[in-house]
Amino acid sequence: MGQPVMQWQILARDPDTLTAFYAKLFGWRVNTDNAMGYRTVDTESNRGINGGVWPIGPTEGHPLVQLFVEVHDVAAYAAKVEQLGGQVLIPPQTLPDGDQLAIVLDTEGLSLGLMQRRA
Amino acid sequence: MGQAFRPGLFGAWVVFDQTDGHCGFTVVVVVSYHRRMKAHVLTDPTPATRRFRQVLQEELAKRCARNPRYSLRAFARHLRLDHSTLSQLLRGRRKFTARTIASLGARLSLAPSVITQLVELERTPPESWAARELKQLSRDAALSLAEWHHHAILELTRLASFRPDVRWIARVLDVPVDDVNVAITRLVRLGLLDMQAPTRWVDKAGNAEARIDDLSLRAISALAGRARALVRSTSGRPAHYSATTLAVPSLTSRRIAERVDRFRREIGELLENADGERDQVYCLELAFFPVADLTPTES
């Protein structure tokens, strides 16, 4: 079955400016019509993957890009991350749309998302 | 067209910075949560070290889990205690005597050996328990949650009318959606908020409490501005906002701070024992700090 990379996410200090930038640059379409007010980004292409933008506060780290990997059991994979020397930053959460998500760090300190679509 | 997908969400960071300085003030700010005990399920892997207060809290939590309508008052009746006395015992405002432990332990059908152990444990210094209770919200965590809406979000989850929709939260708190999402990420990361199901967000702060003496003055200022705005816009709703500037003997300032703390706890107890469904979120802000720099200078 595999665990595919499903989307990218940019952590941004100024999400509005950033999404406007990419909309003008590539024509990407941004939609926030969801319970988390999440900026989904549609690249308007049949190839590649889509993404999203999430805000970060002014004192928290720096803007970066994350990848989201789809797994069949977020909690199990979060535990596996720790067994393998990684770290769980945000434990598994259930989003309003039913998807599950956790944020982890790999052994290089890079953060990535573990996600599971709602059944 | 791009492929269908759903939102990912949540940022991740490792470093928290404190950007605001101390500015020479000694600021006393209490960030606190007072919870119904049924939301505060304590767990301890070593029962032998559990204090009797924990035993009572756990028992109450179990009963509340079995029966959502079970209350502190019902538990007090079972224990043959006045409910305010039980509340004080549970919150650590009143000490357990050996006699009380024996009596209540018997009401809970604890074995005599367990009761003896609990009596002995009560005689040992409580530092470790107190430290464990307070460490739930570390100094860094408290600083990162300095802005008022973090706590307001947690409180909103306790309302029957709560909607796990950031747009709704942003509207009722009059805070930008992005600010709400930054706050939610912090709360989840710190383990203070748990999104357990699509329609169920749980405030996990429990009895978390942090006392910090260098909270951002910017945060205090923002909260004061929020209070002023709300007082203007919420006519008819009970509210109070006042500030007094006083000349204070240095030796008395500590006593005043202690009295303020006592007042805060009394409010918490009042809320804990209040009847009725929670349908509003208020902020109780208490601050006591010098506003003049009277440090002697060389002429």
Side-chain angles (χ1 to χ4, degrees):
Chain A
M1 190 167 76
Q3 284 74 42
V5 176
M6 295 300 289
Q7 74 173 78
W8 48 264
Q9 174 171 272
I10 299 176
L11 303 186
R13 293 222 194 288
D14 186 348
D16 284 335
T17 300
L18 184 83
T19 49
F21 170 80
Y22 282 113
K24 289 174 184 170
L25 181 64
F26 297 130
W28 289 354
R29 191 160 49 86
V30 180
N31 185 353
T32 59
D33 187 20
N34 57 76
M36 295 301 286
Y38 184 62
R39 293 172 177 82
T40 62
V41 178
D42 189 332
T43 63
E44 305 271 294
S45 170
N46 289 324
R47 295 187 298 122
I49 56 176
N50 289 314
V53 177
W54 185 251
I56 57 172
T59 62
E60 290 153 343
H62 50 80
L64 54 85
V65 178
Q66 297 171 314
L67 297 178
F68 282 76
V69 179
E70 187 175 62
V71 296
H72 59 81
D73 186 335
V74 171
Y77 272 85
K80 196 171 179 181
V81 163
E82 292 190 318
Q83 289 169 7
L84 295 172
Q87 186 183 341
V88 176
L89 282 187
I90 293 181
Q93 303 292 310
T94 303
L95 303 176
D97 65 3
D99 289 356
Q100 296 218 349
L101 177 71
I103 300 291
V104 301
L105 292 180
D106 66 17
T107 54
E108 292 288 324
L110 296 173
S111 65
L112 69 149
L114 306 174
M115 62 191 307
Q116 180 182 2
R117 303 297 194 198
R118 69 169 179 263
Chain B
M1 295 293 292
Q3 66 194 82
F5 73 107
R6 298 196 194 100
L9 310 185
F10 290 131
W13 55 87
V14 183
V15 181
F16 283 99
D17 297 323
Q18 184 192 346
T19 55
D20 288 307
H22 185 254
C23 301
F25 285 79
T26 299
V27 181
V28 178
V29 169
V30 180
V31 182
S32 65
Y33 303 93
H34 296 281
R35 300 283 178 253
R36 287 175 177 163
M37 288 301 165
K38 64 184 175 187
H40 188 186
V41 181
L42 298 172
T43 57
D44 193 321
T46 53
T49 63
R50 285 185 315 166
R51 287 179 177 274
F52 192 63
R53 184 155 71 106
Q54 285 176 272
V55 172
L56 285 182
Q57 288 174 323
E58 289 175 5
E59 181 62 29
L60 175 56
K62 281 181 197 168
R63 290 169 184 237
C64 289
R66 283 198 299 267
N67 176 9
R69 300 180 71 85
Y70 198 80
S71 67
L72 185 77
R73 287 172 187 268
F75 195 41
R77 280 196 298 274
H78 174 77
L79 296 172
R80 294 175 185 166
L81 273 181
D82 177 72
H83 76 274
S84 63
T85 303
L86 176 59
S87 173
Q88 289 176 348
L89 289 168
L90 288 170
R91 296 197 56 77
R93 298 293 295 164
R94 180 181 288 210
K95 291 183 178 178
F96 288 97
T97 63
R99 191 173 166 186
T100 305
I101 293 175
S103 167
L104 300 183
R107 293 290 302 160
L108 294 174
S109 304
L110 298 180
S113 61
V114 173
I115 292 175
T116 302
Q117 193 179 35
L118 288 166
V119 169
E120 283 302 311
L121 192 62
E122 203 63 32
R123 290 176 178 147
T124 61
E127 285 80 6
S128 59
W129 162 237
R132 192 175 85 94
E133 190 175 43
L134 290 176
K135 79 179 179 183
Q136 279 184 279
L137 202 56
S138 69
R139 179 180 171 284
D140 281 349
L143 283 171
S144 75
L145 303 182
E147 292 164 298
W148 66 274
H149 60 277
H150 293 81
H151 311 290
I153 291 169
L154 288 174
E155 290 301 320
L156 281 179
T157 67
R158 308 181 67 77
L159 303 184
S161 58
F162 174 72
R163 288 161 58 179
D165 186 317
V166 169
R167 297 164 295 185
W168 177 81
I169 295 171
R171 181 175 61 77
V172 300
L173 296 182
D174 192 22
V175 171
V177 166
D178 282 341
D179 289 1
V180 173
N181 277 331
V182 168
I184 286 173
T185 310
R186 286 176 180 150
L187 292 168
V188 169
R189 181 179 179 275
L190 293 167
L192 302 178
L193 177 66
D194 189 9
M195 300 161 70
Q196 294 185 347
T199 57
R200 180 173 163 76
W201 291 10
V202 178
D203 172 0
K204 304 287 282 187
N207 277 351
E209 178 176 84
R211 188 178 301 250
I212 49 183
D213 58 6
D214 53 0
L215 185 61
S216 149
L217 294 178
R218 184 186 60 181
I220 294 171
S221 174
L223 191 56
R226 169 73 177 170
R228 280 192 294 270
L230 281 179
V231 165
R232 282 197 299 270
S233 66
T234 56
S235 56
R237 185 192 299 177
H240 178 89
Y241 182 68
S242 65
T244 307
T245 304
L246 307 160
V248 179
S250 297
L251 292 175
T252 309
S253 61
R254 178 180 290 273
R255 291 178 56 199
I256 293 176
E258 289 170 355
R259 188 164 295 191
V260 168
D261 186 42
R262 200 182 315 149
F263 169 72
R264 176 187 62 85
R265 290 179 181 277
E266 286 173 5
I267 294 295
E269 287 167 13
L270 185 151
L271 178 60
E272 204 164 84
N273 295 320
D275 294 325
E277 190 176 77
R278 298 183 188 203
D279 59 355
Q280 294 288 345
V281 175
Y282 278 73
C283 172
L284 173 65
E285 179 194 13
L286 301 170
F288 178 61
F289 54 93
V291 294
D293 182 2
L294 299 176
T295 308
T297 56
E298 294 180 9
S299 59

